[in-house]
Amino acid sequence: MEIRTSSINFSKVRGSGPQQRTAAIHFPREVLRATAGITGYTAGFSQDTGDHHVGNLKIRVESSVDGDLVNVTATLGVRDWSGDWDDNYEGTVQFVVLADLASATDPRPRGDIEITGLEFNQATQHFRSDRHLDPANVMPDNTIPLIARKDTCVRVYIDYDANSGLPLINNLSGTLEINTGFTTVVLSPFNSITPMRDNLIDRGQVNHTLNFHIPEGLCQGELNLSCKVFDSSNTTFPSRTFQRSIIFQEHEPVRMHAVAVHYTGQGLDLAEPTLAQITGDPAFSFMEVVYPVPEVLITGYATLDYSEDMRQANIQDGCGDGYSHLLDKLRDLRGGSSDAYFGFMPNGFDGGQVGGCGGGGVAAGPFTGFGVLTQETGHAYGRNHAPCDNSTRCGNPANQDSSYPHYAEFASDSIGEYGYNPRSGNVFAPQTNFDFMSYSGPIWVSPYTYMGLLNSFPLSSGLSSEAFGLTFQSKKDNINKFQRKNLGTGYPNDIWTKKDALQLYLWLTIDRQRKVTREPSFVFASQRVNEQENETNFTVELQDAEGNILTCQTLYCDCGDCQGNCFPKKFRQFVPYYDGAQKLIVYEDEDIIYEEALVTAPQVKINAISEKEQKQMKITWKPIDYEDKELWYLVHWRDADGQWRGLQSRSTQTTASLPLYFFGRNKKLPIRVLCSTGIYTTITEYTLELEEENEDDIQVNIYENTNGGLLNLNVISFNKVIRPSDIIWYNANDHEIGRGRAIDTTKVVEGENIVKVSVLHDGKKYDETIIINRTRDNIECTKLDTSGRELLKYSKTKK
């Protein structure tokens, strides 16, 4: 360890801040790693500024390594409470550098190989984009942020001079050292390469770069990386060490509630997909790579009976009546939850011209539709189709995104940048791969779609967005200048609501003759926000008895085709609601086209009976002293995380059935019955109770991951979400061998291996046993129950 002290002086300055200055500190040998710290400082306003109170003082030092140099960058800024840097300030920052040097006895770095750059890719990344993109789409290297707990590939770019006179290198390898601040891990590449000159490297060729896989468990916080490469046959003569630091952003996952559809339309009777079938769909693994999220969490499972013909001809909105009405039912099941709800249709039905549909937080499609799940979920989060410039090639989809960038000379729906799958090691070239929001194939993800979706998954609580140079004040502000260029326009409606604020969930349809049909609507407390993105010239108002305006809000179309002169227009919108509302008015520009007085709704009386044989709770209710008008009802239940979810879609029925597994491990479960006269809503809360503790609510499914030997474990709790950190793997000796949803079966020894997995849930532990039999050519996994009975088996041939 070598120690150097020095200082950086900041002369008098005004007009901008904070200021930065850099000093280069020399060391006698190559620096392997280094850090800098502040040992003292002087800072303040200059004497000619006069007496001021300090409103903001910013001082810090940062370091980077370049061979035998450590570059120390100091930051200094002083201003008053005005918020402007309009006063003279100056100062000095003293610092110390602690450097770990290469051994004095080690040979000098090999002079014919040099690392010229590191690309950090989790699905898509900007890197050397000036070599394949037009100037309008060129971005600085590595400006797509890295997501915590998401597999990451480090592609190492190397320049090799074969004419240096040194022994030739036929196969190049290397090491990547990762320092987490608590431990150091050394990774080997999963390929070796034939080195070449840097200008000959083709990003589209995976073996033109040396590639390292950082597993998701290490991808958290800040990592300090040190990389060196060497001849595979002579590891003692490496290149100069190349160092970088990377930061991972903690973002929320995709939270998807699975709704399995029992379909009885078209003269069919198709059973709903099981939870094991849904979670075993490889599309989930695909989504976890191409979405800017750490994981796809299945937050629950429900079933839905549906009988409408999915071939109905009215498809002006791109979905057709069959899918549109199904989405409405899913919206009711979504209740006040912020989760995305996906309706998984069974195989065997005829969808006509429509393969799936999504929007406004819900989506539906066949459960084995690999690209359907990914694209329709994208629609649920407000993404439109990538544009098509040739209908014979890409089907000319409806609702095309006019802001989607046209990347260079590639097709209009090209992914633009080189994509990468860290789990499989495959590269996806923009010349031949297309965005999953397109009607083309093969599919991957563009920076535009990736960054657009990032807006839907905010930073996890407890982390400061300032650490990443981001501002999360509104939906349009939560991107940095590099991200903004990728997003363009097309943001969802920029309306935020306070947690649990009362909102009117308004359903309206307006036809071409401006006839307004107000469908049954409800008022309830919800954390949800409006997800529609197509602004219209229609406005809705809520007024009190004196005509005072309580709420005035623009109406946003529910579907992409519902723009301009397209009718009918369907609206599914949350409107802030205040006690005292007496009238609803709809305007087109300045003209009133609809008025309605709100009619008071009654409270209801609730009864419930447990039917153990049917494993359900039967709920009935009736209005109290009311016979004046038809009433509509919604029933919500509250899960252990406090989210109100729908039990069934809106109807005039006064009965419902709740599966007992919704209780989880609890003996009590809150519900609420919403009674509406059309708009005015009363809410009656009730607590369901079981006489004895419910059966275990956890289901554990194992399935093959797309990444070679990874065995994925999907754990579903019907009442509370299980996070990956709650899943712990043990070997036969009860020693912990991993955490999270996946285990690499290629790491176990040949023969029979007993692996146990424990799930921590509500203070209790749930155990599973898996037998992994590994031979030279095959891996077989068998899940056993607590009595040793075989529950599930899958095998795969090693590649």
Side-chain angles (χ1 to χ4, degrees):
M1 178 73 68
E2 292 281 339
I3 300 175
R4 297 285 191 277
T5 58
S6 188
S7 64
I8 295 177
N9 183 56
F10 289 81
S11 301
K12 182 171 64 176
V13 67
R14 69 183 299 173
S16 63
Q19 299 290 315
Q20 288 189 333
R21 302 283 188 274
T22 299
I25 308 301
H26 291 262
F27 288 88
R29 298 184 302 281
E30 181 186 11
V31 179
L32 301 179
R33 61 188 63 82
T35 188
I38 297 174
T39 58
Y41 67 88
T42 60
F45 295 110
S46 303
Q47 291 183 355
D48 57 3
T49 299
D51 188 19
H52 279 260
H53 293 290
V54 175
N56 181 283
L57 174 65
K58 182 167 288 187
I59 301 172
R60 67 182 180 190
V61 294
E62 299 171 296
S63 62
S64 63
V65 175
D66 182 13
D68 59 356
L69 295 177
V70 176
N71 294 310
V72 178
T73 300
T75 301
L76 177 71
V78 184
R79 64 169 173 78
D80 58 19
W81 292 102
S82 69
D84 297 320
W85 303 89
D86 54 358
D87 299 303
N88 291 325
Y89 66 91
E90 57 191 307
T92 303
V93 176
Q94 294 93 40
F95 61 87
V96 62
V97 177
L98 307 178
D100 187 10
L101 307 185
S103 170
T105 60
D106 286 347
R108 294 184 61 82
R110 185 160 180 154
D112 56 345
I113 46 177
E114 180 182 6
I115 298 173
T116 56
L118 303 183
E119 174 190 343
F120 307 106
N121 204 323
Q122 294 180 319
T124 183
Q125 186 57 270
H126 300 301
F127 197 81
R128 299 184 174 182
S129 55
D130 59 321
R131 300 190 182 186
H132 65 278
L133 287 179
D134 53 299
N137 290 303
V138 170
M139 298 293 291
D141 290 350
N142 293 314
T143 47
I144 293 180
L146 299 177
I147 309 301
R149 295 179 290 112
K150 186 176 178 69
D151 293 283
T152 305
C153 176
V154 180
R155 300 190 69 183
V156 182
Y157 291 73
I158 302 154
D159 183 45
Y160 174 55
D161 181 7
N163 298 317
S164 66
L166 292 172
L168 294 178
I169 301 175
N170 295 317
N171 287 289
L172 193 71
S173 187
T175 59
L176 180 69
E177 182 179 292
I178 301 174
N179 187 292
T180 67
F182 301 98
T183 186
T184 299
V185 178
V186 179
L187 301 179
S188 298
F190 57 77
N191 66 332
S192 61
I193 63 174
T194 301
M196 63 187 72
R197 297 308 312 225
D198 180 85
N199 65 313
L200 299 178
I201 294 176
D202 179 359
R203 280 183 75 198
Q205 302 297 318
V206 67
N207 285 322
H208 279 198
T209 57
L210 206 59
N211 306 313
F212 296 84
H213 172 240
I214 305 179
E216 61 179 45
L218 288 175
C219 297
Q220 298 183 68
E222 181 176 359
L223 300 182
N224 297 308
L225 308 181
S226 298
C227 184
K228 58 184 177 182
V229 297
F230 40 74
D231 188 337
S232 299
S233 62
N234 183 9
T235 62
T236 62
F237 196 11
S239 68
R240 182 187 296 270
T241 302
F242 191 94
Q243 295 187 322
R244 284 292 183 271
S245 294
I246 55 177
I247 295 177
F248 292 91
Q249 298 182 9
E250 284 278 356
H251 280 266
E252 290 295 322
V254 172
R255 294 174 56 94
M256 180 182 291
H257 203 92
V259 179
V261 179
H262 171 213
Y263 187 61
T264 56
Q266 302 173 354
L268 303 170
D269 188 359
L270 303 176
E272 64 272 12
T274 66
L275 180 61
Q277 288 175 322
I278 290 173
T279 57
D281 189 339
F284 283 106
S285 294
F286 180 75
M287 280 184 63
E288 286 188 336
V289 177
V290 298
Y291 272 53
V293 296
E295 66 239 356
V296 178
L297 282 180
I298 305 299
T299 60
Y301 173 83
T303 59
L304 174 68
D305 294 327
Y306 192 65
S307 61
E308 293 195 35
D309 193 337
M310 307 302 288
R311 300 168 297 188
Q312 290 178 7
N314 180 21
I315 59 170
Q316 72 86 24
D317 63 357
C319 286
D321 287 343
Y323 267 114
S324 291
H325 295 160
L326 176 57
L327 295 189
D328 279 344
K329 290 183 178 294
L330 293 172
R331 291 185 179 102
D332 278 343
L333 292 180
R334 196 179 179 210
S337 167
S338 58
D339 294 357
Y341 270 58
F342 198 101
F344 291 89
M345 293 290 295
N347 292 326
F349 77 100
D350 183 0
Q353 302 178 46
V354 182
C357 191
V362 296
F367 85 93
T368 57
F370 186 79
V372 173
L373 177 68
T374 311
Q375 183 177 111
E376 301 309 332
T377 302
H379 288 319
Y381 284 111
R383 309 306 300 175
N384 281 332
H385 289 122
C388 176
D389 56 5
N390 185 339
S391 59
T392 62
R393 177 185 63 80
C394 45
N396 199 27
N399 314 328
Q400 295 181 27
D401 187 345
S402 60
S403 298
Y404 192 93
H406 197 139
Y407 293 103
E409 300 301 319
F410 306 141
S412 61
D413 47 359
S414 163
I415 58 174
E417 274 289 3
Y418 285 88
Y420 193 92
N421 187 342
R423 294 181 173 179
S424 66
N426 293 331
V427 176
F428 302 90
Q431 296 88 342
T432 55
N433 290 271
F434 307 91
D435 193 272
F436 64 73
M437 294 305 301
S438 73
Y439 274 17
S440 306
I443 58 173
W444 197 245
V445 64
S446 66
Y448 178 81
T449 294
Y450 192 84
M451 295 303 300
L453 283 170
L454 186 66
N455 186 59
S456 301
F457 308 103
L459 287 170
S460 298
S461 59
L463 291 183
S464 169
S465 59
E466 184 181 357
F468 308 115
L470 304 178
T471 304
F472 280 71
Q473 299 301 317
S474 71
K475 287 192 173 184
K476 293 187 180 181
D477 289 336
N478 69 341
I479 50 177
N480 62 28
K481 62 182 180 180
F482 300 128
Q483 298 173 16
R484 188 182 304 279
K485 190 173 182 180
N486 281 298
L487 280 164
T489 59
Y491 290 91
N493 179 21
D494 202 20
I495 297 173
W496 290 88
T497 61
K498 292 196 305 180
K499 182 178 181 181
D500 296 331
L502 274 180
Q503 300 182 79
L504 166 63
Y505 190 20
L506 182 64
W507 285 21
L508 286 179
T509 300
I510 303 177
D511 67 14
R512 190 177 298 278
Q513 287 71 43
R514 303 320 192 255
K515 177 185 176 182
V516 178
T517 302
R518 193 268 305 140
E519 300 172 67
S521 303
F522 292 83
V523 174
F524 54 90
S526 174
Q527 301 179 35
R528 287 164 54 184
V529 297
N530 291 314
E531 288 128 340
Q532 292 78 31
E533 62 179 34
N534 301 306
E535 184 176 351
T536 70
N537 61 335
F538 296 98
T539 306
V540 62
E541 275 186 6
L542 286 172
Q543 297 182 0
D544 65 14
E546 286 73 39
N548 298 310
I549 298 174
L550 303 177
T551 296
C552 180
Q553 190 175 97
T554 300
L555 289 174
Y556 288 77
C557 263
D558 184 60
C559 55
D561 244 4
C562 229
Q563 302 180 76
N565 199 35
C566 298
F567 285 89
K569 297 185 187 294
K570 293 172 57 179
F571 302 96
R572 304 289 185 261
Q573 186 157 330
F574 280 101
V575 178
Y577 184 87
Y578 301 94
D579 290 336
Q582 295 290 315
K583 184 184 291 186
L584 179 133
I585 303 175
V586 178
Y587 292 86
E588 182 180 17
D589 296 322
E590 299 297 324
D591 299 325
I592 295 176
I593 60 174
Y594 181 80
E595 290 187 75
E596 178 182 0
L598 277 60
V599 178
T600 303
Q603 295 286 336
V604 302
K605 182 179 180 180
I606 301 172
N607 293 293
I609 300 175
S610 177
E611 298 177 335
K612 294 183 180 180
E613 294 76 11
Q614 285 76 37
K615 295 184 178 181
Q616 65 181 15
M617 182 78 75
K618 185 177 181 181
I619 306 165
T620 61
W621 61 90
K622 62 179 181 180
I624 300 174
D625 300 329
Y626 189 89
E627 297 179 356
D628 295 343
K629 187 178 180 180
E630 182 180 57
L631 299 173
W632 286 80
Y633 302 99
L634 274 177
V635 182
H636 291 168
W637 64 282
R638 190 170 67 191
D639 66 16
D641 292 322
Q643 296 203 55
W644 287 103
R645 303 182 185 274
L647 182 60
Q648 60 186 26
S649 58
R650 61 194 63 196
S651 72
T652 58
Q653 296 179 2
T654 57
T655 183
S657 295
L658 181 142
L660 293 183
Y661 60 69
F662 281 9
F663 281 82
R665 287 185 168 142
N666 302 314
K667 295 179 66 175
K668 295 183 179 182
L669 184 72
I671 66 166
R672 64 186 185 188
V673 175
L674 286 68
C675 174
S676 172
T677 52
I679 295 177
Y680 193 99
T681 305
T682 61
I683 300 176
T684 304
E685 295 194 7
Y686 187 84
T687 299
L688 303 177
E689 294 192 41
L690 294 174
E691 294 179 358
E692 57 190 39
E693 188 171 331
N694 194 30
E695 296 179 3
D696 204 322
D697 69 316
I698 289 182
Q699 287 195 17
V700 177
N701 304 290
I702 61 173
Y703 60 94
E704 177 186 354
N705 190 294
T706 54
N707 182 22
L710 278 185
L711 174 67
N712 256 35
L713 182 78
N714 195 290
V715 182
I716 300 295
S717 166
F718 294 101
N719 190 267
K720 186 177 179 65
V721 175
I722 303 294
R723 300 301 297 257
S725 57
D726 296 327
I727 304 171
I728 308 174
W729 300 80
Y730 299 93
N731 62 16
N733 296 321
D734 291 324
H735 294 158
E736 182 178 325
I737 57 175
R739 293 194 177 219
R741 296 162 301 129
I743 186 171
D744 190 349
T745 58
T746 64
K747 302 300 184 184
V748 302
V749 299
E750 290 191 7
E752 182 177 279
N753 297 265
I754 298 176
V755 176
K756 301 175 185 178
V757 59
S758 290
V759 180
L760 304 178
H761 177 49
D762 283 345
K764 299 181 181 180
K765 190 162 68 76
Y766 180 88
D767 295 321
E768 288 278 0
T769 300
I770 299 171
I771 307 297
I772 302 177
N773 276 297
R774 178 182 173 187
T775 65
R776 186 181 64 177
D777 302 316
N778 188 66
I779 297 174
E780 182 179 82
C781 300
T782 305
K783 188 177 80 170
L784 307 178
D785 66 9
T786 54
S787 63
R789 180 171 56 92
E790 180 180 303
L791 294 179
L792 186 147
K793 175 181 287 188
Y794 102 87
S795 63
K796 71 179 275 80
T797 301
K798 290 173 59 182
K799 297 180 181 179

